[in-house]
Amino acid sequence: MRPTRSTATTPIASSRAAPARGTPLVKGANQTGSALGIDGCAADAVFLRTGDYFSVNGEYKRLIADAVADGSGETTLRFKPALRASPVDNAVIVVDAPKCVMALTDDQQGIWECDVRGVYQPKTFTATEVFS
């Protein structure tokens, strides 16, 4: 049986440490690795902080260093894991509700239990990002 795919947004991703002002876009094509030059951020301001999440090109990333925009609104995002594919120039950087496609690691992850009153019990599950 094939795992079910779904889009996930983590609560952590919704509680950024920095305000992420501006309209961030990839600055230049053919960027690879664990750093990405962007523009469109609020000038001379902290854009994202270490530990904040974002998505680009359908990939979910976590910053490993603060991203501070210069006077032109440009900065470099340093993150893990590395890009799987190079985003195009002007690709949107999603910071408000970054998403990725996830699959449960096995069929047992989807079993939910409730008590005699029909109240669902707390549930944790394990999923991995799906690379399409």
Side-chain angles (χ1 to χ4, degrees):
M1 177 180 222
R2 202 176 155 159
T4 302
R5 293 181 181 196
S6 44
T7 302
T9 302
T10 67
I12 297 167
S14 324
S15 58
R16 287 189 315 274
R21 295 184 311 265
T23 307
L25 302 171
V26 172
K27 185 178 189 227
N30 302 317
Q31 297 188 62
T32 59
S34 296
L36 187 63
I38 67 170
D39 57 13
C41 306
D44 295 319
V46 173
F47 177 65
L48 292 173
R49 294 217 183 266
T50 302
D52 286 343
Y53 291 86
F54 70 96
S55 61
V56 61
N57 217 28
E59 299 182 32
Y60 195 63
K61 306 297 177 194
R62 184 173 189 188
L63 258 65
I64 58 171
D66 289 354
V68 180
D70 63 16
S72 300
E74 298 176 4
T75 189
T76 298
L77 302 178
R78 300 188 190 291
F79 51 86
K80 287 189 177 179
L83 290 166
R84 293 185 305 278
S86 176
V88 298
D89 185 34
N90 290 324
V92 174
I93 305 295
V94 179
V95 294
D96 287 330
K99 295 178 176 67
C100 66
V101 177
M102 304 289 287
L104 297 174
T105 55
D106 59 55
D107 291 337
Q108 298 304 310
Q109 301 293 318
I111 298 173
W112 297 84
E113 298 175 358
C114 62
D115 63 19
V116 293
R117 297 169 297 174
V119 176
Y120 285 97
Q121 300 301 306
K123 177 70 175 164
T124 60
F125 59 91
T126 304
T128 55
E129 189 174 4
V130 174
F131 307 130
S132 42

PDB file of all heavy atoms in Angstrom, residues 50-89:
ATOM      1  N   THR A  50      17.707  32.448  12.829  1.00  0.00           N
ATOM      2  CA  THR A  50      18.098  31.045  12.932  1.00  0.00           C
ATOM      3  C   THR A  50      16.943  30.237  13.512  1.00  0.00           C
ATOM      4  O   THR A  50      16.345  30.640  14.504  1.00  0.00           O
ATOM      5  CB  THR A  50      19.337  30.915  13.842  1.00  0.00           C
ATOM      6  OG1 THR A  50      20.386  31.709  13.309  1.00  0.00           O
ATOM      7  CG2 THR A  50      19.778  29.469  13.967  1.00  0.00           C
ATOM      8  N   GLY A  51      16.623  29.120  12.853  1.00  0.00           N
ATOM      9  CA  GLY A  51      15.535  28.261  13.321  1.00  0.00           C
ATOM     10  C   GLY A  51      14.213  28.523  12.636  1.00  0.00           C
ATOM     11  O   GLY A  51      13.303  27.701  12.716  1.00  0.00           O
ATOM     12  N   ASP A  52      14.064  29.675  11.968  1.00  0.00           N
ATOM     13  CA  ASP A  52      12.830  29.956  11.235  1.00  0.00           C
ATOM     14  C   ASP A  52      12.748  29.053  10.013  1.00  0.00           C
ATOM     15  O   ASP A  52      13.763  28.603   9.479  1.00  0.00           O
ATOM     16  CB  ASP A  52      12.769  31.417  10.785  1.00  0.00           C
ATOM     17  CG  ASP A  52      12.469  32.391  11.917  1.00  0.00           C
ATOM     18  OD1 ASP A  52      12.004  31.945  12.976  1.00  0.00           O
ATOM     19  OD2 ASP A  52      12.693  33.600  11.723  1.00  0.00           O
ATOM     20  N   TYR A  53      11.523  28.779   9.553  1.00  0.00           N
ATOM     21  CA  TYR A  53      11.268  27.932   8.395  1.00  0.00           C
ATOM     22  C   TYR A  53      10.796  28.758   7.217  1.00  0.00           C
ATOM     23  O   TYR A  53      10.163  29.806   7.394  1.00  0.00           O
ATOM     24  CB  TYR A  53      10.188  26.894   8.725  1.00  0.00           C
ATOM     25  CG  TYR A  53      10.621  25.848   9.699  1.00  0.00           C
ATOM     26  CD1 TYR A  53      10.533  26.070  11.074  1.00  0.00           C
ATOM     27  CD2 TYR A  53      11.124  24.635   9.270  1.00  0.00           C
ATOM     28  CE1 TYR A  53      10.932  25.099  11.977  1.00  0.00           C
ATOM     29  CE2 TYR A  53      11.514  23.659  10.169  1.00  0.00           C
ATOM     30  CZ  TYR A  53      11.429  23.905  11.519  1.00  0.00           C
ATOM     31  OH  TYR A  53      11.827  22.957  12.411  1.00  0.00           O
ATOM     32  N   PHE A  54      11.074  28.264   6.028  1.00  0.00           N
ATOM     33  CA  PHE A  54      10.540  28.855   4.805  1.00  0.00           C
ATOM     34  C   PHE A  54      10.452  27.749   3.766  1.00  0.00           C
ATOM     35  O   PHE A  54      10.989  26.660   3.950  1.00  0.00           O
ATOM     36  CB  PHE A  54      11.434  30.008   4.303  1.00  0.00           C
ATOM     37  CG  PHE A  54      12.758  29.577   3.751  1.00  0.00           C
ATOM     38  CD1 PHE A  54      12.932  29.398   2.385  1.00  0.00           C
ATOM     39  CD2 PHE A  54      13.841  29.350   4.590  1.00  0.00           C
ATOM     40  CE1 PHE A  54      14.159  28.992   1.867  1.00  0.00           C
ATOM     41  CE2 PHE A  54      15.066  28.951   4.080  1.00  0.00           C
ATOM     42  CZ  PHE A  54      15.225  28.767   2.718  1.00  0.00           C
ATOM     43  N   SER A  55       9.751  28.022   2.687  1.00  0.00           N
ATOM     44  CA  SER A  55       9.748  27.067   1.582  1.00  0.00           C
ATOM     45  C   SER A  55       9.992  27.810   0.283  1.00  0.00           C
ATOM     46  O   SER A  55       9.653  28.985   0.139  1.00  0.00           O
ATOM     47  CB  SER A  55       8.450  26.250   1.523  1.00  0.00           C
ATOM     48  OG  SER A  55       7.330  27.065   1.334  1.00  0.00           O
ATOM     49  N   VAL A  56      10.614  27.099  -0.635  1.00  0.00           N
ATOM     50  CA  VAL A  56      10.899  27.621  -1.965  1.00  0.00           C
ATOM     51  C   VAL A  56      10.904  26.431  -2.913  1.00  0.00           C
ATOM     52  O   VAL A  56      11.392  25.359  -2.556  1.00  0.00           O
ATOM     53  CB  VAL A  56      12.252  28.382  -2.009  1.00  0.00           C
ATOM     54  CG1 VAL A  56      13.424  27.498  -1.661  1.00  0.00           C
ATOM     55  CG2 VAL A  56      12.454  29.053  -3.358  1.00  0.00           C
ATOM     56  N   ASN A  57      10.315  26.630  -4.070  1.00  0.00           N
ATOM     57  CA  ASN A  57      10.392  25.563  -5.070  1.00  0.00           C
ATOM     58  C   ASN A  57       9.742  24.263  -4.585  1.00  0.00           C
ATOM     59  O   ASN A  57      10.154  23.181  -4.972  1.00  0.00           O
ATOM     60  CB  ASN A  57      11.878  25.323  -5.380  1.00  0.00           C
ATOM     61  CG  ASN A  57      12.150  25.002  -6.807  1.00  0.00           C
ATOM     62  OD1 ASN A  57      11.419  25.410  -7.694  1.00  0.00           O
ATOM     63  ND2 ASN A  57      13.216  24.269  -7.053  1.00  0.00           N
ATOM     64  N   GLY A  58       8.782  24.377  -3.646  1.00  0.00           N
ATOM     65  CA  GLY A  58       8.147  23.194  -3.085  1.00  0.00           C
ATOM     66  C   GLY A  58       9.004  22.466  -2.072  1.00  0.00           C
ATOM     67  O   GLY A  58       8.688  21.350  -1.667  1.00  0.00           O
ATOM     68  N   GLU A  59      10.095  23.062  -1.636  1.00  0.00           N
ATOM     69  CA  GLU A  59      11.009  22.450  -0.668  1.00  0.00           C
ATOM     70  C   GLU A  59      10.929  23.199   0.666  1.00  0.00           C
ATOM     71  O   GLU A  59      10.888  24.422   0.697  1.00  0.00           O
ATOM     72  CB  GLU A  59      12.447  22.490  -1.189  1.00  0.00           C
ATOM     73  CG  GLU A  59      12.648  21.741  -2.486  1.00  0.00           C
ATOM     74  CD  GLU A  59      14.088  21.757  -2.953  1.00  0.00           C
ATOM     75  OE1 GLU A  59      14.993  21.781  -2.094  1.00  0.00           O
ATOM     76  OE2 GLU A  59      14.299  21.751  -4.175  1.00  0.00           O
ATOM     77  N   TYR A  60      10.947  22.457   1.753  1.00  0.00           N
ATOM     78  CA  TYR A  60      10.816  22.981   3.109  1.00  0.00           C
ATOM     79  C   TYR A  60      12.205  23.116   3.722  1.00  0.00           C
ATOM     80  O   TYR A  60      12.970  22.148   3.740  1.00  0.00           O
ATOM     81  CB  TYR A  60       9.972  21.989   3.894  1.00  0.00           C
ATOM     82  CG  TYR A  60       9.408  22.466   5.197  1.00  0.00           C
ATOM     83  CD1 TYR A  60       8.500  23.508   5.241  1.00  0.00           C
ATOM     84  CD2 TYR A  60       9.743  21.825   6.380  1.00  0.00           C
ATOM     85  CE1 TYR A  60       7.936  23.908   6.430  1.00  0.00           C
ATOM     86  CE2 TYR A  60       9.181  22.214   7.583  1.00  0.00           C
ATOM     87  CZ  TYR A  60       8.281  23.261   7.601  1.00  0.00           C
ATOM     88  OH  TYR A  60       7.721  23.645   8.789  1.00  0.00           O
ATOM     89  N   LYS A  61      12.547  24.291   4.235  1.00  0.00           N
ATOM     90  CA  LYS A  61      13.899  24.556   4.737  1.00  0.00           C
ATOM     91  C   LYS A  61      13.857  25.214   6.110  1.00  0.00           C
ATOM     92  O   LYS A  61      12.903  25.906   6.450  1.00  0.00           O
ATOM     93  CB  LYS A  61      14.654  25.487   3.781  1.00  0.00           C
ATOM     94  CG  LYS A  61      14.684  25.010   2.335  1.00  0.00           C
ATOM     95  CD  LYS A  61      15.410  23.712   2.190  1.00  0.00           C
ATOM     96  CE  LYS A  61      15.376  23.199   0.767  1.00  0.00           C
ATOM     97  NZ  LYS A  61      15.788  21.809   0.692  1.00  0.00           N
ATOM     98  N   ARG A  62      14.963  25.023   6.885  1.00  0.00           N
ATOM     99  CA  ARG A  62      15.118  25.667   8.190  1.00  0.00           C
ATOM    100  C   ARG A  62      16.417  26.455   8.193  1.00  0.00           C
ATOM    101  O   ARG A  62      17.482  25.915   7.857  1.00  0.00           O
ATOM    102  CB  ARG A  62      15.138  24.622   9.295  1.00  0.00           C
ATOM    103  CG  ARG A  62      15.188  25.248  10.664  1.00  0.00           C
ATOM    104  CD  ARG A  62      15.030  24.214  11.733  1.00  0.00           C
ATOM    105  NE  ARG A  62      14.863  24.886  13.016  1.00  0.00           N
ATOM    106  CZ  ARG A  62      14.856  24.274  14.167  1.00  0.00           C
ATOM    107  NH1 ARG A  62      14.999  22.971  14.207  1.00  0.00           N
ATOM    108  NH2 ARG A  62      14.716  24.947  15.268  1.00  0.00           N
ATOM    109  N   LEU A  63      16.335  27.727   8.599  1.00  0.00           N
ATOM    110  CA  LEU A  63      17.517  28.578   8.615  1.00  0.00           C
ATOM    111  C   LEU A  63      18.516  28.137   9.672  1.00  0.00           C
ATOM    112  O   LEU A  63      18.132  27.778  10.785  1.00  0.00           O
ATOM    113  CB  LEU A  63      17.115  30.033   8.889  1.00  0.00           C
ATOM    114  CG  LEU A  63      17.103  30.926   7.649  1.00  0.00           C
ATOM    115  CD1 LEU A  63      16.054  30.478   6.673  1.00  0.00           C
ATOM    116  CD2 LEU A  63      16.961  32.352   8.008  1.00  0.00           C
ATOM    117  N   ILE A  64      19.809  28.200   9.319  1.00  0.00           N
ATOM    118  CA  ILE A  64      20.879  27.882  10.267  1.00  0.00           C
ATOM    119  C   ILE A  64      21.670  29.127  10.643  1.00  0.00           C
ATOM    120  O   ILE A  64      22.613  29.055  11.423  1.00  0.00           O
ATOM    121  CB  ILE A  64      21.812  26.782   9.711  1.00  0.00           C
ATOM    122  CG1 ILE A  64      22.437  27.198   8.390  1.00  0.00           C
ATOM    123  CG2 ILE A  64      21.057  25.464   9.567  1.00  0.00           C
ATOM    124  CD1 ILE A  64      23.535  26.266   7.902  1.00  0.00           C
ATOM    125  N   ALA A  65      21.260  30.282  10.095  1.00  0.00           N
ATOM    126  CA  ALA A  65      21.895  31.559  10.427  1.00  0.00           C
ATOM    127  C   ALA A  65      20.876  32.671  10.202  1.00  0.00           C
ATOM    128  O   ALA A  65      20.003  32.547   9.341  1.00  0.00           O
ATOM    129  CB  ALA A  65      23.126  31.795   9.557  1.00  0.00           C
ATOM    130  N   ASP A  66      20.982  33.740  10.982  1.00  0.00           N
ATOM    131  CA  ASP A  66      20.092  34.887  10.777  1.00  0.00           C
ATOM    132  C   ASP A  66      20.263  35.437   9.370  1.00  0.00           C
ATOM    133  O   ASP A  66      21.370  35.412   8.816  1.00  0.00           O
ATOM    134  CB  ASP A  66      20.410  36.010  11.767  1.00  0.00           C
ATOM    135  CG  ASP A  66      20.008  35.672  13.197  1.00  0.00           C
ATOM    136  OD1 ASP A  66      19.384  34.608  13.419  1.00  0.00           O
ATOM    137  OD2 ASP A  66      20.323  36.481  14.093  1.00  0.00           O
ATOM    138  N   ALA A  67      19.169  35.940   8.798  1.00  0.00           N
ATOM    139  CA  ALA A  67      19.200  36.578   7.484  1.00  0.00           C
ATOM    140  C   ALA A  67      18.837  38.049   7.682  1.00  0.00           C
ATOM    141  O   ALA A  67      17.697  38.366   8.026  1.00  0.00           O
ATOM    142  CB  ALA A  67      18.210  35.912   6.536  1.00  0.00           C
ATOM    143  N   VAL A  68      19.824  38.923   7.494  1.00  0.00           N
ATOM    144  CA  VAL A  68      19.637  40.357   7.674  1.00  0.00           C
ATOM    145  C   VAL A  68      19.763  41.030   6.312  1.00  0.00           C
ATOM    146  O   VAL A  68      20.779  40.865   5.632  1.00  0.00           O
ATOM    147  CB  VAL A  68      20.672  40.936   8.662  1.00  0.00           C
ATOM    148  CG1 VAL A  68      20.463  42.433   8.837  1.00  0.00           C
ATOM    149  CG2 VAL A  68      20.596  40.206   9.995  1.00  0.00           C
ATOM    150  N   ALA A  69      18.739  41.762   5.920  1.00  0.00           N
ATOM    151  CA  ALA A  69      18.740  42.429   4.618  1.00  0.00           C
ATOM    152  C   ALA A  69      19.607  43.680   4.649  1.00  0.00           C
ATOM    153  O   ALA A  69      19.663  44.394   5.649  1.00  0.00           O
ATOM    154  CB  ALA A  69      17.314  42.788   4.215  1.00  0.00           C
ATOM    155  N   ASP A  70      20.274  43.933   3.534  1.00  0.00           N
ATOM    156  CA  ASP A  70      21.079  45.146   3.401  1.00  0.00           C
ATOM    157  C   ASP A  70      20.183  46.315   2.984  1.00  0.00           C
ATOM    158  O   ASP A  70      18.953  46.191   2.933  1.00  0.00           O
ATOM    159  CB  ASP A  70      22.232  44.924   2.421  1.00  0.00           C
ATOM    160  CG  ASP A  70      21.776  44.627   0.999  1.00  0.00           C
ATOM    161  OD1 ASP A  70      20.599  44.870   0.645  1.00  0.00           O
ATOM    162  OD2 ASP A  70      22.614  44.144   0.211  1.00  0.00           O
ATOM    163  N   GLY A  71      20.788  47.436   2.632  1.00  0.00           N
ATOM    164  CA  GLY A  71      20.044  48.630   2.248  1.00  0.00           C
ATOM    165  C   GLY A  71      19.229  48.474   0.977  1.00  0.00           C
ATOM    166  O   GLY A  71      18.310  49.251   0.725  1.00  0.00           O
ATOM    167  N   SER A  72      19.539  47.467   0.174  1.00  0.00           N
ATOM    168  CA  SER A  72      18.782  47.205  -1.056  1.00  0.00           C
ATOM    169  C   SER A  72      17.711  46.138  -0.865  1.00  0.00           C
ATOM    170  O   SER A  72      17.033  45.754  -1.826  1.00  0.00           O
ATOM    171  CB  SER A  72      19.739  46.751  -2.170  1.00  0.00           C
ATOM    172  OG  SER A  72      20.693  47.741  -2.433  1.00  0.00           O
ATOM    173  N   GLY A  73      17.575  45.620   0.354  1.00  0.00           N
ATOM    174  CA  GLY A  73      16.584  44.577   0.610  1.00  0.00           C
ATOM    175  C   GLY A  73      17.039  43.197   0.174  1.00  0.00           C
ATOM    176  O   GLY A  73      16.229  42.296  -0.029  1.00  0.00           O
ATOM    177  N   GLU A  74      18.360  43.006   0.048  1.00  0.00           N
ATOM    178  CA  GLU A  74      18.910  41.715  -0.351  1.00  0.00           C
ATOM    179  C   GLU A  74      19.554  41.022   0.843  1.00  0.00           C
ATOM    180  O   GLU A  74      20.108  41.672   1.722  1.00  0.00           O
ATOM    181  CB  GLU A  74      19.958  41.900  -1.449  1.00  0.00           C
ATOM    182  CG  GLU A  74      19.390  42.502  -2.714  1.00  0.00           C
ATOM    183  CD  GLU A  74      20.454  42.768  -3.771  1.00  0.00           C
ATOM    184  OE1 GLU A  74      21.633  42.410  -3.550  1.00  0.00           O
ATOM    185  OE2 GLU A  74      20.102  43.342  -4.804  1.00  0.00           O
ATOM    186  N   THR A  75      19.481  39.694   0.864  1.00  0.00           N
ATOM    187  CA  THR A  75      20.135  38.904   1.899  1.00  0.00           C
ATOM    188  C   THR A  75      20.392  37.506   1.346  1.00  0.00           C
ATOM    189  O   THR A  75      19.928  37.165   0.254  1.00  0.00           O
ATOM    190  CB  THR A  75      19.301  38.828   3.200  1.00  0.00           C
ATOM    191  OG1 THR A  75      20.076  38.215   4.233  1.00  0.00           O
ATOM    192  CG2 THR A  75      18.004  38.065   3.002  1.00  0.00           C
ATOM    193  N   THR A  76      21.134  36.731   2.097  1.00  0.00           N
ATOM    194  CA  THR A  76      21.376  35.336   1.740  1.00  0.00           C
ATOM    195  C   THR A  76      20.794  34.459   2.827  1.00  0.00           C
ATOM    196  O   THR A  76      21.088  34.653   4.013  1.00  0.00           O
ATOM    197  CB  THR A  76      22.886  35.061   1.595  1.00  0.00           C
ATOM    198  OG1 THR A  76      23.397  35.884   0.543  1.00  0.00           O
ATOM    199  CG2 THR A  76      23.149  33.602   1.268  1.00  0.00           C
ATOM    200  N   LEU A  77      19.945  33.516   2.429  1.00  0.00           N
ATOM    201  CA  LEU A  77      19.394  32.541   3.358  1.00  0.00           C
ATOM    202  C   LEU A  77      20.352  31.364   3.426  1.00  0.00           C
ATOM    203  O   LEU A  77      20.762  30.827   2.400  1.00  0.00           O
ATOM    204  CB  LEU A  77      18.021  32.064   2.873  1.00  0.00           C
ATOM    205  CG  LEU A  77      16.949  33.128   2.669  1.00  0.00           C
ATOM    206  CD1 LEU A  77      15.670  32.502   2.136  1.00  0.00           C
ATOM    207  CD2 LEU A  77      16.688  33.892   3.962  1.00  0.00           C
ATOM    208  N   ARG A  78      20.737  30.957   4.634  1.00  0.00           N
ATOM    209  CA  ARG A  78      21.590  29.783   4.851  1.00  0.00           C
ATOM    210  C   ARG A  78      20.740  28.772   5.612  1.00  0.00           C
ATOM    211  O   ARG A  78      20.191  29.100   6.662  1.00  0.00           O
ATOM    212  CB  ARG A  78      22.836  30.165   5.627  1.00  0.00           C
ATOM    213  CG  ARG A  78      23.642  31.210   4.856  1.00  0.00           C
ATOM    214  CD  ARG A  78      24.983  31.498   5.462  1.00  0.00           C
ATOM    215  NE  ARG A  78      25.611  32.651   4.831  1.00  0.00           N
ATOM    216  CZ  ARG A  78      26.072  32.703   3.603  1.00  0.00           C
ATOM    217  NH1 ARG A  78      25.982  31.647   2.831  1.00  0.00           N
ATOM    218  NH2 ARG A  78      26.627  33.797   3.107  1.00  0.00           N
ATOM    219  N   PHE A  79      20.634  27.559   5.080  1.00  0.00           N
ATOM    220  CA  PHE A  79      19.622  26.624   5.566  1.00  0.00           C
ATOM    221  C   PHE A  79      20.043  25.170   5.411  1.00  0.00           C
ATOM    222  O   PHE A  79      21.042  24.858   4.778  1.00  0.00           O
ATOM    223  CB  PHE A  79      18.322  26.847   4.791  1.00  0.00           C
ATOM    224  CG  PHE A  79      18.536  26.851   3.299  1.00  0.00           C
ATOM    225  CD1 PHE A  79      18.537  25.673   2.578  1.00  0.00           C
ATOM    226  CD2 PHE A  79      18.780  28.036   2.619  1.00  0.00           C
ATOM    227  CE1 PHE A  79      18.769  25.673   1.204  1.00  0.00           C
ATOM    228  CE2 PHE A  79      19.008  28.050   1.258  1.00  0.00           C
ATOM    229  CZ  PHE A  79      18.996  26.868   0.541  1.00  0.00           C
ATOM    230  N   LYS A  80      19.239  24.295   5.981  1.00  0.00           N
ATOM    231  CA  LYS A  80      19.351  22.849   5.811  1.00  0.00           C
ATOM    232  C   LYS A  80      17.950  22.324   5.598  1.00  0.00           C
ATOM    233  O   LYS A  80      17.007  22.896   6.134  1.00  0.00           O
ATOM    234  CB  LYS A  80      19.958  22.194   7.044  1.00  0.00           C
ATOM    235  CG  LYS A  80      21.439  22.465   7.165  1.00  0.00           C
ATOM    236  CD  LYS A  80      22.030  21.629   8.266  1.00  0.00           C
ATOM    237  CE  LYS A  80      23.536  21.862   8.308  1.00  0.00           C
ATOM    238  NZ  LYS A  80      24.165  21.104   9.355  1.00  0.00           N
ATOM    239  N   PRO A  81      17.753  21.266   4.887  1.00  0.00           N
ATOM    240  CA  PRO A  81      18.717  20.601   4.030  1.00  0.00           C
ATOM    241  C   PRO A  81      18.977  21.404   2.763  1.00  0.00           C
ATOM    242  O   PRO A  81      18.267  22.371   2.462  1.00  0.00           O
ATOM    243  CB  PRO A  81      18.037  19.266   3.703  1.00  0.00           C
ATOM    244  CG  PRO A  81      16.586  19.567   3.774  1.00  0.00           C
ATOM    245  CD  PRO A  81      16.441  20.613   4.849  1.00  0.00           C
ATOM    246  N   ALA A  82      19.988  20.987   2.010  1.00  0.00           N
ATOM    247  CA  ALA A  82      20.361  21.681   0.771  1.00  0.00           C
ATOM    248  C   ALA A  82      19.235  21.586  -0.265  1.00  0.00           C
ATOM    249  O   ALA A  82      18.384  20.685  -0.203  1.00  0.00           O
ATOM    250  CB  ALA A  82      21.631  21.048   0.195  1.00  0.00           C
ATOM    251  N   LEU A  83      19.248  22.510  -1.202  1.00  0.00           N
ATOM    252  CA  LEU A  83      18.276  22.490  -2.294  1.00  0.00           C
ATOM    253  C   LEU A  83      18.419  21.207  -3.110  1.00  0.00           C
ATOM    254  O   LEU A  83      19.531  20.777  -3.404  1.00  0.00           O
ATOM    255  CB  LEU A  83      18.487  23.687  -3.221  1.00  0.00           C
ATOM    256  CG  LEU A  83      18.130  25.062  -2.658  1.00  0.00           C
ATOM    257  CD1 LEU A  83      18.708  26.160  -3.539  1.00  0.00           C
ATOM    258  CD2 LEU A  83      16.629  25.210  -2.521  1.00  0.00           C
ATOM    259  N   ARG A  84      17.290  20.638  -3.494  1.00  0.00           N
ATOM    260  CA  ARG A  84      17.306  19.472  -4.378  1.00  0.00           C
ATOM    261  C   ARG A  84      17.295  19.909  -5.840  1.00  0.00           C
ATOM    262  O   ARG A  84      17.751  19.178  -6.709  1.00  0.00           O
ATOM    263  CB  ARG A  84      16.093  18.587  -4.098  1.00  0.00           C
ATOM    264  CG  ARG A  84      16.148  17.933  -2.733  1.00  0.00           C
ATOM    265  CD  ARG A  84      15.014  16.968  -2.517  1.00  0.00           C
ATOM    266  NE  ARG A  84      13.693  17.529  -2.709  1.00  0.00           N
ATOM    267  CZ  ARG A  84      13.015  18.227  -1.802  1.00  0.00           C
ATOM    268  NH1 ARG A  84      13.556  18.471  -0.629  1.00  0.00           N
ATOM    269  NH2 ARG A  84      11.807  18.672  -2.054  1.00  0.00           N
ATOM    270  N   ALA A  85      16.735  21.076  -6.096  1.00  0.00           N
ATOM    271  CA  ALA A  85      16.672  21.619  -7.455  1.00  0.00           C
ATOM    272  C   ALA A  85      16.842  23.132  -7.359  1.00  0.00           C
ATOM    273  O   ALA A  85      16.421  23.751  -6.386  1.00  0.00           O
ATOM    274  CB  ALA A  85      15.336  21.276  -8.111  1.00  0.00           C
ATOM    275  N   SER A  86      17.437  23.713  -8.369  1.00  0.00           N
ATOM    276  CA  SER A  86      17.663  25.152  -8.392  1.00  0.00           C
ATOM    277  C   SER A  86      16.364  25.882  -8.707  1.00  0.00           C
ATOM    278  O   SER A  86      15.736  25.614  -9.733  1.00  0.00           O
ATOM    279  CB  SER A  86      18.712  25.481  -9.457  1.00  0.00           C
ATOM    280  OG  SER A  86      18.869  26.881  -9.544  1.00  0.00           O
ATOM    281  N   PRO A  87      15.932  26.805  -7.827  1.00  0.00           N
ATOM    282  CA  PRO A  87      14.733  27.572  -8.142  1.00  0.00           C
ATOM    283  C   PRO A  87      15.002  28.578  -9.255  1.00  0.00           C
ATOM    284  O   PRO A  87      16.143  29.017  -9.447  1.00  0.00           O
ATOM    285  CB  PRO A  87      14.395  28.281  -6.836  1.00  0.00           C
ATOM    286  CG  PRO A  87      15.635  28.261  -6.025  1.00  0.00           C
ATOM    287  CD  PRO A  87      16.480  27.131  -6.522  1.00  0.00           C
ATOM    288  N   VAL A  88      13.966  28.949  -9.977  1.00  0.00           N
ATOM    289  CA  VAL A  88      14.106  29.933 -11.046  1.00  0.00           C
ATOM    290  C   VAL A  88      14.258  31.324 -10.449  1.00  0.00           C
ATOM    291  O   VAL A  88      13.910  31.563  -9.297  1.00  0.00           O
ATOM    292  CB  VAL A  88      12.894  29.899 -12.014  1.00  0.00           C
ATOM    293  CG1 VAL A  88      12.787  28.545 -12.693  1.00  0.00           C
ATOM    294  CG2 VAL A  88      11.610  30.248 -11.290  1.00  0.00           C
ATOM    295  N   ASP A  89      14.766  32.245 -11.234  1.00  0.00           N
ATOM    296  CA  ASP A  89      14.863  33.640 -10.825  1.00  0.00           C
ATOM    297  C   ASP A  89      13.463  34.150 -10.495  1.00  0.00           C
ATOM    298  O   ASP A  89      12.492  33.845 -11.190  1.00  0.00           O
ATOM    299  CB  ASP A  89      15.483  34.477 -11.953  1.00  0.00           C
ATOM    300  CG  ASP A  89      15.724  35.910 -11.544  1.00  0.00           C
ATOM    301  OD1 ASP A  89      16.035  36.158 -10.363  1.00  0.00           O
ATOM    302  OD2 ASP A  89      15.598  36.803 -12.417  1.00  0.00           O
TER     303      ASP A  89
END
